[in-house]
Amino acid sequence: MKIDGQTRLYILIGNPVAHSLSPLLYNAAFAACRMNAIYVACPVEPEHVGEAIEGLRALNIAGVNVTSPHKETVMAYLDQISGEAALVRSVNTIVNRAGKMVGETTDGRGFMADLGERAPSVKPGDSVLLIGAGGAARAVAFALVQNGFHELYIANRTVGRGRFLADILQCSVHEAHCRVIGLGQEELRDALNACRLLVYCLTVDLEPVKAVLQDHASSLVDKVFYDLRYSPAVSETAALFRNRGGIAINGRGMLYHQAISAFELFTEQRAPAEEMLTAYRKAHEREI
Ligand SMILES: NC(=O)c1ccc[n+]([C@@H]2O[C@H](COP(=O)([O-])OP(=O)(O)OC[C@H]3O[C@@H](n4cnc5c(N)ncnc54)[C@H](OP(=O)(O)O)[C@@H]3O)[C@@H](O)[C@H]2O)c1
């Protein structure tokens, strides 16, 4: 890789970021396209988000990915926000368009593409238990209801945040029917029994969820657990789900698919999907 005075810089901001596979995916893509660009991960504390965005402008950073916990807070500092990102109040991609910082979201697209590939038996019409209501959860939930998954249970620690999500979903897609619950074991158990697909959008493994899976009387063989996280490759919660016979998927494929969309927004050229896939598979082999 050549780094010189014209190298364009792309970054990831969030906290933590050390586990991220994004540098690997984007640097493979830049190399494949012979672009004079590099991608690095920068940890940013919540109190420094505004300064970080000002820094992007000052340093003319070409593009940024945003991860937890900043997907919502960055929005206040941007010049423009795409319709979908504004609706779900979540930005995971910032494109520098001639000095204007434009917020986009590619999480929903990435999730749906990966779900279709890795859990083809899950079909529109199946009920979904979404655990979490943060930035990624909102983007994923919106993609689900837009793609025909109209029956949604939304479980979140801050129930008001869950209600807010239910409201935007039901206003945008009239067929959507959302029930908002907290993280109590009984309500989680009922929702688990009613749903075919569980989408885990939290940053941490939660005791009540683990307890429900541990104590679950019947097999989970017909159910799919999609954990947005990918480091470690199999979370504690995913392992419990698998022990009960269910299919557990991690978020690595979602990362790959959302990175393809973000690369195309950054560069306005087709992403080198094969080379990105090779980089992704190498990382996958290392950890499984
Ligand atoms: N694979 C991918 O491509 C991909 C893409 C996007 C995100 N992700 C992953 O998805 C996860 C969520 O990301 P995000 O951007 O949505 O994060 P976020 O906006 O910070 O939301 C965090 C969520 O976790 C909940 N939470 C955090 N700590 C908790 C605790 N101690 N007890 C109960 N709930 C807790 C929050 O609940 P409250 O609302 O109550 O605070 C909220 O629902 C992260 O691990 C991220 O890395 C992966």
Side-chain angles (χ1 to χ4, degrees):
M1 182 199 305
K2 180 182 97 175
I3 298 178
D4 60 20
Q6 294 182 53
T7 303
R8 302 299 318 270
L9 181 56
Y10 293 82
I11 66 170
L12 169 70
I13 61 170
N15 197 17
V17 290
H19 66 285
S20 176
L21 294 178
S22 292
L24 195 132
L25 283 175
Y26 287 97
N27 286 319
F30 294 146
C33 297
R34 299 183 183 282
M35 282 177 62
N36 188 354
I38 60 165
Y39 187 107
V40 294
C42 305
V44 173
E45 296 290 343
E47 62 272 26
H48 294 310
V49 168
E51 290 159 90
I53 303 296
E54 276 314 306
L56 304 178
R57 286 195 184 88
L59 298 170
N60 196 25
I61 302 294
V64 184
N65 287 125
V66 184
T67 188
S68 178
H70 305 325
K71 288 186 179 181
E72 190 170 349
T73 38
V74 291
M75 293 177 70
Y77 305 100
L78 302 179
D79 301 308
Q80 199 180 313
I81 295 172
S82 77
E84 185 178 340
L87 186 70
V88 299
R89 287 209 202 157
S90 178
V91 161
N92 78 336
T93 302
I94 304 172
V95 187
N96 182 343
R97 293 204 199 291
K100 252 190 176 181
M101 294 297 160
V102 182
E104 306 265 1
T105 178
T106 63
D107 279 338
R109 272 169 267 172
F111 171 79
M112 289 311 302
D114 195 46
L115 183 71
E117 278 178 12
R118 292 167 82 195
S121 67
V122 173
K123 296 277 184 241
D126 286 340
S127 301
V128 182
L129 166 56
L130 185 88
I131 304 181
R138 292 197 297 274
V140 164
F142 187 65
L144 280 164
V145 296
Q146 273 194 319
N147 284 280
F149 293 85
H150 293 146
E151 291 291 320
L152 232 66
Y153 287 78
I154 300 168
N156 199 44
R157 172 179 63 178
T158 311
V159 174
R161 227 175 164 197
R163 289 216 181 92
F164 166 77
L165 174 56
D167 288 346
I168 54 172
L169 295 175
Q170 288 172 162
C171 286
S172 320
V173 177
H174 294 304
E175 298 89 342
H177 182 232
C178 305
R179 297 178 186 85
V180 179
I181 60 174
L183 295 172
Q185 282 190 39
E186 212 174 301
E187 43 193 352
L188 282 171
R189 189 173 305 111
D190 289 347
L192 171 65
N193 285 331
C195 292
R196 173 87 204 286
L197 170 67
L198 276 82
V199 189
Y200 196 84
C201 310
L202 301 187
T203 44
V204 287
D205 289 296
L206 271 195
E207 285 312 319
V209 180
K210 288 196 289 181
V212 166
L213 294 177
Q214 240 150 7
D215 302 343
H216 202 262
S218 53
S219 153
L220 296 171
V221 80
D222 60 335
K223 298 190 194 281
V224 173
F225 179 86
Y226 194 112
D227 193 334
L228 262 57
R229 299 168 299 169
Y230 55 81
S231 181
V234 184
S235 68
E236 270 181 70
T237 317
L240 288 170
F241 196 87
R242 269 191 195 163
N243 288 345
R244 289 268 171 232
I247 297 172
I249 300 169
N250 71 24
R252 205 165 277 191
M254 172 178 170
L255 178 83
Y256 164 72
H257 285 288
Q258 67 79 24
I260 286 193
S261 297
F263 180 92
E264 293 180 352
L265 288 168
F266 286 151
T267 63
E268 294 180 340
Q269 69 180 64
R270 226 181 147 71
E274 272 306 309
E275 287 83 353
M276 290 171 83
L277 189 60
T278 305
Y280 158 85
R281 285 200 172 127
K282 273 191 193 146
H284 195 63
E285 279 159 17
R286 269 206 305 270
E287 279 199 29
I288 288 236

